[in-house]
Amino acid sequence: MEKRPAEDEENGEGENGAKKAKLDPECGRLLFCGSTNWEYVNKPCKLKDDFYYSKQNVYEPMFLAAFKDIRIRHLGSSQDAGHVVVVDEDGQAWSWGNNEFGQLGQGDLKNRRVPTPMPNTGPTGHIIVMVALSKRHTLLLTSRGEVLACGDNTDGQCGQGEMKSTTVNNGRVREELETNSIERVLELTPINYSGPPVIKISSGMDFNMLLDVEGCVWTFGSQEFGKCGTGTDGAYNAAEAKVKMRYAGISEPHKITRVYERDAKTKKTKSLQMMRIKSIAAGSHHAAMVDEMSRVFTWGAGSYGRTGLGDTTDTLVPTWVQSLDHPRGKIEEVYCGNMCTVMLGKGHRQVFLAGIVDALKKEANMVPKQYFEFGDAGLRDIGFFKKGWNHVGDDGSVMQTNTGPCYGELGTLLSNSSIVRTLLWIVRNTIIKLFYC
């Protein structure tokens, strides 16, 4: 990839000899590659069978015409999403891609191939400072600490309505389902939240996490696998004449007030003192957070050891990862993917991995183990595929791995070697951020 020439401190001179305004180093130009078959990006079997060699796949990173004169400040990131949301330097949010559930926040269900400004965002509306994406919904964080949501709200993941029991006929069987009174939210709407201002958001497949200014964590959405950390998975039997388990969600954010330590032998838990939280991350079906003492707590789906608690059982409450209780186990940041949790060490910047990147390739880590695949470049940022990752080092170098099927998202001009696209954020002459896979 050709590098752009670096600019001097004064940003050069204009044609009339006047000094140009300095460019914000936190903003940059946007590159895109991968599939643009938005109708099928959330249907991997259909996508692989019919669009593996589609002319709509972009195999080399390219600039988007819609952003020719627009610099980007924030990108959404999710291994589950089939849509894209970015924020420009003025705080205006733009969305495009799959819109089957209204997750683009445009007030309709039409897919969009071209980046479109999201209504009520930007200088004349809400200034957006962070984006969190999921398969069916979108969260945006404003400069005032408010959270806006749009998309599917079946399990309350948009923070709207109330969860109510409804009886439906499913063939010959009557089922009692716990559904939300508001099925979809087509426009950006503030969630039902009355706590302190929010400073960070993160979304999983069908649930969300919030971190407020006081260091407290809130969760809402689906409780399956215990991923809301409420102490239950919300399971109930929906059928009258047979066993058919469903999982109730919560539409109002739940404040996590307790953390626990689990005995490795007896599996009994005891409460620990709750400290301020400094980092949060939501994976597809699990969650993690780091407190001010650099301790890691995880909960949710435990398959493949992704919670790092030494087993594959689901965990219903935030539980301390005791295997990191050693001098080099102080953690600064945590990132959650589909089946793994990546933890960045404090000071020494060592990387630990719990779980597995691809279930068919290597043995899973039941507890966090040092991870060397990122090389010596350090870790500045990471974005996950379903079966891979894109890594940006401290020096701006980019490393990536993905175990098929691919549609150009690696930007290597090849289709062989998981889902669907990659966005790279370029500032000055070096790739320094990668947020969205």
Side-chain angles (χ1 to χ4, degrees):
M1 183 180 299
E2 182 179 356
K3 294 184 178 180
R4 293 187 297 161
E7 299 154 334
D8 58 29
E9 293 183 359
E10 295 300 328
N11 233 22
E13 296 184 355
E15 294 181 357
N16 58 0
K19 297 294 184 180
K20 294 181 181 178
K22 287 186 177 180
L23 297 177
D24 188 339
E26 294 300 319
C27 299
R29 299 188 66 188
L30 191 70
L31 285 175
F32 176 91
C33 58
S35 175
T36 60
N37 294 284
W38 301 113
E39 183 179 357
Y40 302 105
V41 292
N42 288 331
K43 302 173 182 178
C45 294
K46 178 73 173 177
L47 194 68
K48 182 179 179 180
D49 292 341
D50 297 344
F51 300 100
Y52 191 70
Y53 296 105
S54 172
K55 293 181 179 180
Q56 297 185 41
N57 295 342
V58 181
Y59 295 102
E60 182 179 12
M62 61 176 290
F63 293 108
L64 301 181
F67 295 130
K68 179 180 179 181
D69 300 316
I70 297 176
R71 291 165 60 80
I72 302 301
R73 186 182 298 274
H74 303 289
L75 305 177
S77 176
S78 174
Q79 64 276 0
D80 302 310
H83 64 293
V84 187
V85 178
V86 302
V87 182
D88 65 25
E89 58 185 339
D90 294 325
Q92 170 73 58
W94 301 68
S95 63
W96 72 100
N98 184 279
N99 195 34
E100 184 178 356
F101 299 92
Q103 59 265 46
L104 296 186
Q106 301 290 348
D108 55 38
L109 299 177
K110 297 179 181 179
N111 297 335
R112 282 171 171 76
R113 298 182 59 81
V114 177
T116 306
M118 299 181 74
N120 300 320
T121 64
T124 60
H126 298 285
I127 302 297
I128 306 303
V129 298
M130 184 174 286
V131 181
L133 304 183
S134 183
K135 183 177 182 178
R136 298 181 174 183
H137 73 279
T138 300
L139 288 191
L140 300 181
L141 177 63
T142 74
S143 59
R144 299 176 62 88
E146 300 172 337
V147 180
L148 310 177
C150 59
D152 182 33
N153 193 48
T154 306
D155 293 306
Q157 57 265 53
C158 283
Q160 304 294 324
E162 298 179 355
M163 304 303 296
K164 297 182 178 180
S165 297
T166 304
T167 301
V168 298
N169 291 321
N170 187 3
R172 297 182 179 180
V173 180
R174 290 171 58 86
E175 295 184 4
E176 186 174 349
L177 303 180
E178 190 85 6
T179 59
N180 195 281
S181 58
I182 301 176
E183 183 179 353
R184 290 174 181 165
V185 181
L186 300 183
E187 297 180 349
L188 289 174
T189 307
I191 65 172
N192 296 327
Y193 171 76
S194 58
V198 175
I199 59 174
K200 189 174 183 179
I201 57 177
S202 185
S203 294
M205 175 70 79
D206 47 15
F207 76 106
N208 308 292
M209 301 176 68
L210 313 177
L211 177 63
D212 69 30
V213 70
E214 296 179 357
C216 297
V217 175
W218 305 70
T219 61
F220 59 102
S222 173
Q223 296 185 96
E224 187 179 4
F225 307 112
K227 51 196 171 188
C228 281
T230 58
T232 178
D233 60 2
Y236 65 94
N237 185 20
E240 294 181 352
K242 61 180 181 180
V243 176
K244 188 172 184 179
M245 302 306 295
R246 301 279 187 175
Y247 302 89
I250 51 176
S251 58
E252 186 172 345
H254 163 78
K255 184 179 181 179
I256 293 179
T257 57
R258 293 184 179 182
V259 292
Y260 296 85
E261 175 184 3
R262 186 167 69 188
D263 186 277
K265 294 183 179 180
T266 64
K267 305 300 181 183
K268 293 182 178 181
T269 60
K270 65 178 181 179
S271 180
L272 294 176
Q273 183 179 0
M274 183 80 176
M275 308 296 290
R276 288 174 59 94
I277 303 301
K278 61 181 182 180
S279 177
I280 61 172
S284 294
H285 297 293
H286 73 292
M289 63 185 185
V290 181
D291 69 7
E292 60 185 356
M293 295 179 62
S294 300
R295 300 179 301 181
V296 178
F297 297 87
T298 61
W299 64 96
S303 55
Y304 299 103
R306 70 189 80 181
T307 55
L309 297 173
D311 54 35
T312 59
T313 59
D314 298 340
T315 304
L316 307 182
V317 293
T319 304
W320 179 33
V321 182
Q322 299 179 65
S323 58
L324 290 172
D325 186 20
H326 55 80
R328 302 187 70 84
K330 303 295 183 181
I331 302 301
E332 183 73 22
E333 292 281 346
V334 64
Y335 308 87
C336 291
N338 181 31
M339 298 179 291
C340 66
T341 304
V342 174
M343 309 165 195
L344 180 62
K346 184 177 181 180
H348 53 80
R349 309 288 287 179
Q350 287 184 343
V351 177
F352 298 88
L353 174 74
I356 195 168
V357 175
D358 181 2
L360 300 179
K361 295 297 181 180
K362 295 183 179 180
E363 183 177 352
N365 294 342
M366 293 294 105
V367 297
K369 295 182 181 180
Q370 195 167 348
Y371 193 61
F372 298 99
E373 298 295 328
F374 296 153
D376 299 325
L379 175 60
R380 174 175 291 178
D381 197 30
I382 185 172
F384 293 98
F385 298 105
K386 282 287 189 180
K387 298 180 180 179
W389 44 256
N390 270 291
H391 161 274
V392 179
D394 291 330
D395 59 356
S397 61
V398 176
M399 297 178 60
Q400 54 191 201
T401 180
N402 194 12
T403 56
C406 289
Y407 307 89
E409 64 267 34
L410 296 182
T412 58
L413 304 179
L414 302 174
S415 61
N416 54 340
S417 198
S418 144
I419 278 208
V420 181
R421 80 225 116 257
T422 301
L423 289 179
L424 302 177
W425 193 8
I426 291 190
V427 176
R428 290 186 178 269
N429 64 339
T430 308
I431 300 175
I432 68 166
K433 292 282 186 181
L434 186 146
F435 273 84
Y436 187 86
C437 295

